[in-house]
Structure formats: C-alpha cells, structure tokens
Amino acid sequence: MRFQSTKGQSPALTASRAMLMGAAPDGGLYVPQSFPQFSPNSFGDPEDLPGIAKTLLTSFFEDDALAADLANICRSVFNFPAPLKKLAENKHTLELFHGPSAAFKDFGARFLAASMDAMAGDDLPLTVLVATSGDTGGAVGCAFAKARTAKVVILYPKGRVSPLQERQLTCWPDSVTSLRVDADFDQCQALVKAAFADNGLKMRHGLSSANSINIGRLLPQMVYYATSALTIFRQTGKRANYIIPTGNLGNGMACLWARACGLPIGQVILAQNANRSLTDYFDGLGFAPRASIATIANAMDVGNPSNFERFTTGIDNLNHDLRALSVDDKAIANQISKDARALSHVWCPHSAIAAFSYDQLNADEKTRPWVLVATAHPYKFREIVEPLIPGNIPPCPELAAIESLPVHVTDIPATLDALAGVLTDGSELP
Ligand SMILES: *Cc1c(COP(=O)(O)O)cnc(C)c1O
C-alpha cells in the first residue's frame, strides 16, 4: 500500500515513510491510494480493540518497514477501552476519553509515538517537534513519555494555556522537552515551521512532526469506528450513524475512511461549534477558510480545517450521506445543563455539540441507531461545565494520576536560535 499526496506532485510512500514526512514535500497531505475492502465477517470480536486494529490496519502497512511490528504497536497503543454506552433506544455514546490525557487524541498520538519509536535508532535520530495551543501537546507528550529512542519537543505559548493543560505539557520525563515560549500560538507554530525549513537542523536531529495532518494520527482513529459499528451491526443488523464533534476534521475523516473500507456505517454528521466553514460548505456556500472564533469548545476552534483537502482530493467518493451542523456557545451550554438534569449525563463542551445535534434529528431518523461521539472527559473542562450542572464532576483517574508528578519546563524567547540551542543541548542529555 502506498500513500499519495493530495497535490499529486510528490512520490507515493509507504505508511511509515509518510509518517516520517508529516506533510508531503509538495505541500499536500498523504492519503491512501486505495481502501482495502472488508465485510463485517472479516473481523473477530468487536470488543477486542487491538485485534480489530491489527485486522483493519494490516493492509495499510503492506510492504512497510513496520509491517512486522504492527501487532505489537496495536497491543501497546490500544490498551485502554473505547466503550460504546447505550443512552436510550437507538442512542449510544462512544467514549473516547479513557486514555491517559482524557481526550480522543490519545489514540493518534500514541500510535504515532509507538511507530516513531519502532523506527528510530542510532542511524535514524528522531525528534518530533510539535507546537500546541493546549490539548494536542498533552496527548503527544504523554504518548512519547515512554519512548526509548524517539524524542519530542513541545512548544506552547506562555500564559495562554490552562493550569491543567500546562501540567499535561510539562510533567513528562527525559524523552519529552517542554518549551514555554514567550509568544502566542501562531508564533510557536511559525517557529516549528522555521525549524523544518532549516535543512541543517532538520537533518542533524531528524525532525518530524506530530500535528494532526500526520497520517499516523488518522489511521488508528479508524479503529474505534470499526469496533463500535461492528458492535451495533451484530446486535441490530443495521448500520451505525455517527455524530462527530469536528474541528480540524481528523476524527471525522477517520470515520469516512472506515466507511470507505466497507464497515457498516451509514450517515455521518460533522458537528461544529461556531466555526462553521464545513457547515457553510455543505449548505452550498462553497469552502471559505477563515480566522478562528474563540468558543467554549476550544479544541474545535478551527476556521480552516486542514483535513478538508483530504476530503476533496481523496480518490474515493467520501461525500455521501454526510452533512454538517454548527452549534453556538449558548446552545452548547444549554445542552450540558439540560442533559445533566434530565439524563444525569455530563458532557464536555465538545461532546455536548454532538448531543445537541442528535436532538435536532427528525423522528424518522431517530428510528435508526446513532452514535454520539464523546471526545473528552468533562472533568478536563470543569471550569466551563461545573457552573452549568448540579454538583461537581468526580475527578477522572487518568488526570488525577498526573497531579503529583514533578514538572520540567524551559523558557525560551520566540527565536530559531533559542530553539536550535535547546535541540543541540537536548541531544547530549541521557
Ligand atoms: C481535537 C479535538 C476535537 C476536534 O477533532 P478534529 O479531529 O480536529 O476534528 C474535538 N474534541 C476534542 C476534545 C478535541 O481535543
């Protein structure tokens, strides 16, 4: 299996080469050249996450350097559950927040880290650079904490992340270097881009990226769509329909790819916050990327979803039984409040967007099985959620585990010299 660039001007690569590259040299994003076809009978027990992962991902790693490691990688990555819980008849929620950073990004970050670590070695130094506005860096830092050979350097904007996020960015051991940059997020990102543009630096440290366009983050996200759709199909004989809180369209794209592989998935609704570029696109207004608007579902504050390019230039037709919906802050807050009281179910602000979207379905649609994707644990956003609900949110064990760890952080100014200095010192640390 090869992965081709959406811009078509770079050579097609196997999965692990595409992972090392991050984006393609022509500026495009890697997409699979074809989708392997499965039937529901192709899979074993849908509760067996690593087993389903191995079956689903094997074809994507055919002829790849990591093919022999794939089963081990899947076992180490998928070692926490992605439970499908029934809320009412034909209404389920898929909880993707039982990993170590309590958000769905753990699946992609951990798969990328395990793959990079399996590739890295004396002849291939590997340093993953990632700029974060908060959530991604926490998942990536945690995922690389146990890496033996690959290292990660996280850049985040000083004074612009929450205390819990800062702890998640800085509480990891040697393989993770956390840099608090005297800058905003855009400047952090510009610094990472400048480092990639410096060929000497790039070669010396084997720089690679862990941002959400990396194919190594998308492929593993197909797995929980497979397990949940198979579970529903075996119980009901019907296709599962999904409502997915959407920002950069990474999670949604993984669902569309799982459907393109023949998994029993019907309708897909991409549920956005007030950043409505996809909603406008599906309303026939064209795709107009724009500056992002700040909302209470801040991990989805994306005005220009980078994975949209994969949607329009992928080889298969992904655009069927698909729509988008935009939900404003007021509706999100009302939904959290309403479901906490009526259903005793507490959503994080992102997941509440899926819950609101479900309530907008018509009676006929509600006769089919739906899955509301829950992307983060509400405790992670308790400052927003607790004032809206009766009582407090019990702490989630995954996040409690990091509260006592010591933190390590280095302050740097927003210059390439400062970043290069840290990269060079870091390479001499044990
Ligand atoms: C990143 C994130 C999203 C958005 O996912 P995309 O793949 O960017 O569409 C939604 N919810 C939470 C909690 C997130 O961290």
Side-chain angles (χ1 to χ4, degrees), residues 298-310:
N298 65 8
M300 291 163 46
D301 291 349
V302 180
N304 182 11
S306 25
N307 284 297
F308 185 74
E309 188 172 326
R310 286 192 159 113

Side-chain angles (χ1 to χ4, degrees), residues 103-105 135 245-252 299-300 348 350 375-376 381:
F104 86 93
K105 290 191 175 74
D135 258 14
T246 295
N248 233 340
L249 191 51
N251 205 5
M300 291 163 46
C348 90
H350 313 81
T375 49
F381 299 92

